[in-house]
Amino acid sequence: MSEPESLKPKRGFAESVAGAARRVAGAVRGAVEAVRNINRDPEPERVGQRWGFGAFLLVEAIFILSAVFITALAKQFGISLLDSVPLVLVGSIVPTVLAAGAAIVITYVRGNGPKIDLRFSMTKEDVAIGLKLGVLGLVLTYAAATLWTKVVGEENATSAVGDLLSGSNLPLGAAITMFLYVSLIGPICEEIIYRGMLWGAVERQGWSRWAAFWLTTVIFAIGHFEPLRTSLLLVIAIPIGIARLLTRRLGASIVAHVMNNFLPGLTLLLVSVGVM
């Protein structure tokens, strides 16, 4: 006898659920195995790298002092950060780019260059893992930001860049420049500084990759100098750090970071041009 037609849809649904469950279980097993491999396979010794925590502190000093210098110079000419579009762009972009550039120069002068010392490379695996963890980061960021907004209140739930751009109608060119910085240039530079240089400094001391992951995650959050957002930035940093942890390369964390910043960057673009 043939199977009653009424049972076929139910069986098809059950098979779909079972297939989805198998895929989830496979993904979990893969993640567990990847974590085990982190402990089994230690990082190779950093031969030829003659820089460490001092280099990272120098890079951070360049970031802070350049931001202070730009602000002080503007004040000397009576220019307010809130009233000058060029100053907003320069003050936001230049310190981060200078710091990342200094990090790269240090690897050439005191090491083997960024490809070796900072693990600055990009493979298909890096892109795939970065995209997956970037999507996970977006979900976590949305959930964490929703909870954080309820705790601190709507009026306090903005970033430093968001505060500068809120309520301002930027020229289209300036708005696009800020979007490119928030969603692309900034993430690349921050990854060079934190999960490139700081991570490399930790590993040079012989500490584990887990130590590098947690230390860079915490300092990344603190290093934005936005005390109210530090807890939120910690959540944002975890998937990005995991991408670096699993692949051992900066490419994956850059992709995850860009993915995580794309929607906030797009929102800033729309707000700054008056669409939202």
Side-chain angles (χ1 to χ4, degrees):
M1 289 180 62
S2 62
E3 184 181 63
E5 291 293 328
S6 60
L7 294 179
K8 289 182 180 179
K10 293 180 180 179
R11 177 167 293 183
F13 175 75
E15 290 174 350
S16 299
V17 171
R22 285 194 295 269
R23 288 192 292 273
V24 171
V28 171
R29 284 194 297 271
V32 171
E33 188 61 27
V35 171
R36 287 176 177 170
N37 287 337
I38 292 170
N39 296 323
R40 291 195 197 116
D41 195 7
E43 189 72 20
E45 185 180 353
R46 287 178 166 264
V47 179
Q49 178 182 320
R50 303 188 310 279
W51 56 266
F53 284 113
F56 170 73
L57 292 175
L58 174 61
V59 167
E60 280 290 286
I62 290 171
F63 171 78
I64 295 169
L65 292 176
S66 60
V68 171
F69 175 78
I70 290 169
T71 303
L73 188 64
K75 286 183 178 179
Q76 285 294 318
F77 289 94
I79 303 173
S80 169
L81 188 63
L82 298 176
D83 299 330
S84 172
V85 170
L87 186 59
V88 169
L89 295 177
V90 171
S92 300
I93 298 172
V94 170
T96 309
V97 173
L98 277 179
I104 291 174
V105 170
I106 288 170
T107 66
Y108 280 117
V109 175
R110 300 281 298 168
N112 309 288
K115 185 174 181 179
I116 295 175
D117 286 1
L118 304 182
R119 308 298 192 251
F120 200 155
S121 62
M122 183 83 69
T123 67
K124 290 181 180 179
E125 180 190 17
D126 296 332
V127 174
I129 291 176
L131 287 174
K132 290 176 183 177
L133 287 167
V135 171
L136 174 62
L138 284 173
V139 174
L140 288 176
T141 299
Y142 176 78
T146 301
L147 178 61
W148 177 72
T149 300
K150 290 181 179 179
V151 172
V152 303
E154 289 279 354
E155 67 280 1
N156 297 315
T158 56
S159 65
V161 174
D163 285 338
L164 288 174
L165 299 179
S166 61
S168 62
N169 291 319
L170 293 182
L172 183 59
I176 292 174
T177 301
M178 185 58 73
F179 166 71
L180 291 174
Y181 168 70
V182 170
S183 61
L184 181 63
I185 299 169
I188 292 173
C189 291
E190 288 179 356
E191 290 309 301
I192 289 172
I193 295 167
Y194 293 103
R195 274 160 284 269
M197 176 143 282
L198 179 56
W199 194 294
V202 173
E203 286 187 342
R204 184 170 182 261
Q205 299 301 312
W207 300 356
S208 71
R209 276 184 284 164
W210 283 109
F213 166 73
W214 286 113
L215 187 61
T216 55
T217 297
V218 171
I219 294 182
F220 170 85
I222 296 172
H224 281 72
F225 301 104
E226 299 180 58
L228 199 60
R229 295 182 71 236
T230 299
S231 57
L232 177 61
L233 288 165
L234 278 171
V235 176
I236 292 171
I238 288 174
I240 300 171
I242 290 174
R244 174 69 171 84
L245 187 69
L246 292 178
T247 63
R248 304 186 181 193
R249 292 179 296 272
L250 207 57
S253 62
I254 287 174
V255 173
H257 201 155
V258 168
M259 280 288 295
N260 190 84
N261 279 31
F262 178 77
L263 288 181
L266 182 60
T267 300
L268 282 175
L269 173 63
L270 297 177
V271 168
S272 61
V273 298
V275 174
M276 293 180 63

